[in-house]
Amino acid sequence: MSETNNRLVMKLKTGDVVIELRPDLAPLASERLRTLSEQGFYDGVKFHRVIEGFMAQGGDPTGTGSGGSDLPDLKAEFTREAKFERGTLGMARTMNPNSANSQFFIMFQPTPSLDGQYTIAGQVVSGMEHIDQVKRGAGASGMVKDPDTIISMRPEA
């Protein structure tokens, strides 16, 4: 078997975002993102929660923030080996640390308070300017009215 390419390409209306998965930090979460991307799960899914200066969250097919895939939730893969910097992709979860499923968020800027508290599954390596253009939400929740969508997300060919 050949070495697996650990990159995903997310197509947005403004252009492509390339995400380098981090199976060295989060093998379960990296595999989940790859599997769901291969299945086309993220196609047409909204960035339902976007907070200026913090992050853009997507990956919920219901667009409500409470949905996920049919696959079981993932065990937490927290680390102190990497930090939540600009472009870091983390797995969203409830208050239960072992509840990540399909939702993820991409950081607009470093947020040290998340370090060691959420699973880091990837890093944007190109196209962060397109994440910067995702429509922002309002209020403390950051819920977005008429949100931008992921056109498609697939493993890099």
Side-chain angles (χ1 to χ4, degrees), residues 46-47 135 144-149:
K46 298 168 173 50
F47 278 103
K135 185 177 178 183
V144 185
K145 186 179 165 99
D146 191 26
D148 287 336
T149 60

PDB file of all heavy atoms in Angstrom, residues 46-47 135 144-149:
ATOM      1  N   LYS A  46     -22.848  23.769   5.786  1.00  0.00           N
ATOM      2  CA  LYS A  46     -22.675  25.190   6.111  1.00  0.00           C
ATOM      3  C   LYS A  46     -21.615  25.439   7.189  1.00  0.00           C
ATOM      4  O   LYS A  46     -21.389  24.594   8.048  1.00  0.00           O
ATOM      5  CB  LYS A  46     -23.999  25.758   6.612  1.00  0.00           C
ATOM      6  CG  LYS A  46     -25.111  25.694   5.599  1.00  0.00           C
ATOM      7  CD  LYS A  46     -26.458  26.002   6.237  1.00  0.00           C
ATOM      8  CE  LYS A  46     -27.580  26.109   5.242  1.00  0.00           C
ATOM      9  NZ  LYS A  46     -27.706  25.034   4.307  1.00  0.00           N
ATOM     10  N   PHE A  47     -21.027  26.639   7.144  1.00  0.00           N
ATOM     11  CA  PHE A  47     -20.243  27.169   8.264  1.00  0.00           C
ATOM     12  C   PHE A  47     -21.272  27.865   9.157  1.00  0.00           C
ATOM     13  O   PHE A  47     -21.539  29.056   9.014  1.00  0.00           O
ATOM     14  CB  PHE A  47     -19.178  28.162   7.778  1.00  0.00           C
ATOM     15  CG  PHE A  47     -17.931  27.495   7.280  1.00  0.00           C
ATOM     16  CD1 PHE A  47     -17.685  27.377   5.928  1.00  0.00           C
ATOM     17  CD2 PHE A  47     -17.008  26.974   8.176  1.00  0.00           C
ATOM     18  CE1 PHE A  47     -16.531  26.757   5.472  1.00  0.00           C
ATOM     19  CE2 PHE A  47     -15.844  26.354   7.727  1.00  0.00           C
ATOM     20  CZ  PHE A  47     -15.615  26.242   6.372  1.00  0.00           C
ATOM     21  N   LYS A 135     -18.572  34.109   5.761  1.00  0.00           N
ATOM     22  CA  LYS A 135     -19.534  35.027   6.392  1.00  0.00           C
ATOM     23  C   LYS A 135     -19.581  34.830   7.903  1.00  0.00           C
ATOM     24  O   LYS A 135     -19.678  33.707   8.389  1.00  0.00           O
ATOM     25  CB  LYS A 135     -20.922  34.800   5.789  1.00  0.00           C
ATOM     26  CG  LYS A 135     -21.965  35.779   6.290  1.00  0.00           C
ATOM     27  CD  LYS A 135     -23.294  35.538   5.591  1.00  0.00           C
ATOM     28  CE  LYS A 135     -24.344  36.491   6.123  1.00  0.00           C
ATOM     29  NZ  LYS A 135     -25.650  36.208   5.490  1.00  0.00           N
ATOM     30  N   VAL A 144     -24.750  31.949  12.195  1.00  0.00           N
ATOM     31  CA  VAL A 144     -24.746  32.710  10.949  1.00  0.00           C
ATOM     32  C   VAL A 144     -26.098  32.608  10.244  1.00  0.00           C
ATOM     33  O   VAL A 144     -26.611  31.505  10.039  1.00  0.00           O
ATOM     34  CB  VAL A 144     -23.632  32.202  10.004  1.00  0.00           C
ATOM     35  CG1 VAL A 144     -23.549  33.067   8.753  1.00  0.00           C
ATOM     36  CG2 VAL A 144     -22.291  32.155  10.713  1.00  0.00           C
ATOM     37  N   LYS A 145     -26.638  33.748   9.873  1.00  0.00           N
ATOM     38  CA  LYS A 145     -27.861  33.786   9.073  1.00  0.00           C
ATOM     39  C   LYS A 145     -27.439  33.674   7.608  1.00  0.00           C
ATOM     40  O   LYS A 145     -26.564  34.399   7.160  1.00  0.00           O
ATOM     41  CB  LYS A 145     -28.599  35.100   9.345  1.00  0.00           C
ATOM     42  CG  LYS A 145     -29.954  35.206   8.681  1.00  0.00           C
ATOM     43  CD  LYS A 145     -30.600  36.528   9.044  1.00  0.00           C
ATOM     44  CE  LYS A 145     -31.762  36.821   8.141  1.00  0.00           C
ATOM     45  NZ  LYS A 145     -33.044  36.498   8.707  1.00  0.00           N
ATOM     46  N   ASP A 146     -28.050  32.743   6.880  1.00  0.00           N
ATOM     47  CA  ASP A 146     -27.709  32.489   5.475  1.00  0.00           C
ATOM     48  C   ASP A 146     -26.190  32.243   5.318  1.00  0.00           C
ATOM     49  O   ASP A 146     -25.488  32.988   4.635  1.00  0.00           O
ATOM     50  CB  ASP A 146     -28.166  33.660   4.593  1.00  0.00           C
ATOM     51  CG  ASP A 146     -28.088  33.338   3.114  1.00  0.00           C
ATOM     52  OD1 ASP A 146     -28.168  32.146   2.749  1.00  0.00           O
ATOM     53  OD2 ASP A 146     -27.912  34.282   2.316  1.00  0.00           O
ATOM     54  N   PRO A 147     -25.686  31.192   5.976  1.00  0.00           N
ATOM     55  CA  PRO A 147     -24.234  30.956   6.020  1.00  0.00           C
ATOM     56  C   PRO A 147     -23.625  30.489   4.703  1.00  0.00           C
ATOM     57  O   PRO A 147     -24.320  29.960   3.832  1.00  0.00           O
ATOM     58  CB  PRO A 147     -24.099  29.861   7.078  1.00  0.00           C
ATOM     59  CG  PRO A 147     -25.414  29.168   7.084  1.00  0.00           C
ATOM     60  CD  PRO A 147     -26.448  30.188   6.705  1.00  0.00           C
ATOM     61  N   ASP A 148     -22.311  30.691   4.603  1.00  0.00           N
ATOM     62  CA  ASP A 148     -21.546  30.159   3.482  1.00  0.00           C
ATOM     63  C   ASP A 148     -21.459  28.643   3.626  1.00  0.00           C
ATOM     64  O   ASP A 148     -21.511  28.093   4.739  1.00  0.00           O
ATOM     65  CB  ASP A 148     -20.134  30.750   3.467  1.00  0.00           C
ATOM     66  CG  ASP A 148     -20.123  32.207   3.018  1.00  0.00           C
ATOM     67  OD1 ASP A 148     -21.062  32.626   2.316  1.00  0.00           O
ATOM     68  OD2 ASP A 148     -19.165  32.915   3.377  1.00  0.00           O
ATOM     69  N   THR A 149     -21.303  27.964   2.489  1.00  0.00           N
ATOM     70  CA  THR A 149     -21.241  26.504   2.505  1.00  0.00           C
ATOM     71  C   THR A 149     -19.918  25.994   1.925  1.00  0.00           C
ATOM     72  O   THR A 149     -19.235  26.690   1.176  1.00  0.00           O
ATOM     73  CB  THR A 149     -22.391  25.882   1.690  1.00  0.00           C
ATOM     74  OG1 THR A 149     -22.292  26.337   0.345  1.00  0.00           O
ATOM     75  CG2 THR A 149     -23.737  26.255   2.253  1.00  0.00           C
TER      76      THR A 149
END
